[in-house]
Amino acid sequence: MPIDAKQPYDEQNIFARILRGEIPSKTVMESEHSLAFHDINPLAPIHVLVIPRGPYVSWDDFTAKASDAEIADFVRTVGEVARQTGADAQGYRILSNSGKRSGQEVAHLHVHVFGGAPLGPMLAR
Ligand code: AMP
């Protein structure tokens, strides 16, 4: 069920639980304000999720409320993940679903980093 980008933050969402170490994830990298880990259901040879450590529901919530330091750290982490995984070598795609119409399923902001193969058209028509 897609979530509302403007709903209150739910401390029990699955990525909050990963941040608290309550459920495992395969870490790619960590920084002061961000965590990157492999998607459990990869849609490309490289499929990594980057999340802020702070309690932000969506891209909408994050860009309205996060500090400059959190935003800078998050954007740099996305770039660093692409370099560390080798996705940068031949090109990659970043994507963040925000709210109901996008199909966002997990109510903690995440950016998908896809790479490792040709990725096809940006959206299916
Ligand atoms: P979205 O539809 O943009 O909200 O994407 C949610 C993503 O989270 C999907 O690609 C899922 O495969 C992924 N996901 C859900 N649970 C986990 C988990 N425990 N560890 C890693 N990825 C997960």
Side-chain angles (χ1 to χ4, degrees):
M1 189 65 177
I3 66 104
D4 182 341
K6 295 183 187 291
Q7 71 185 43
Y9 188 77
D10 170 13
E11 295 286 350
Q12 296 309 317
N13 81 75
I14 196 130
F15 294 168
R17 299 185 64 204
I18 285 175
L19 282 165
R20 292 195 295 269
E22 294 170 5
I23 57 171
S25 66
K26 291 186 179 168
T27 301
V28 174
M29 68 169 282
E30 297 185 72
S31 65
E32 184 180 358
H33 295 296
S34 310
L35 173 68
F37 53 92
H38 290 283
D39 196 290
I40 204 166
N41 182 26
L43 299 176
I46 298 167
H47 185 175
V48 175
L49 300 173
V50 185
I51 66 173
R53 294 187 184 278
Y56 302 106
V57 173
S58 62
W59 184 263
D60 181 68
D61 192 26
F62 184 65
T63 54
K65 297 182 189 157
S67 67
D68 290 356
E70 290 174 296
I71 292 171
D73 177 291
F74 187 69
V75 173
R76 285 195 190 281
T77 300
V78 171
E80 188 58 28
V81 161
R83 289 185 287 276
Q84 279 197 19
T85 57
D88 64 322
Q90 298 201 64
Y92 59 96
R93 180 172 296 157
I94 60 177
L95 180 152
S96 187
N97 293 315
S98 186
K100 281 184 182 161
R101 283 189 169 173
S102 73
Q104 181 180 357
E105 294 277 355
V106 179
H108 184 114
L109 169 63
H110 46 285
V111 163
H112 299 256
V113 180
F114 299 108
L119 295 169
M122 187 164 60
L123 284 177
R125 287 182 191 271

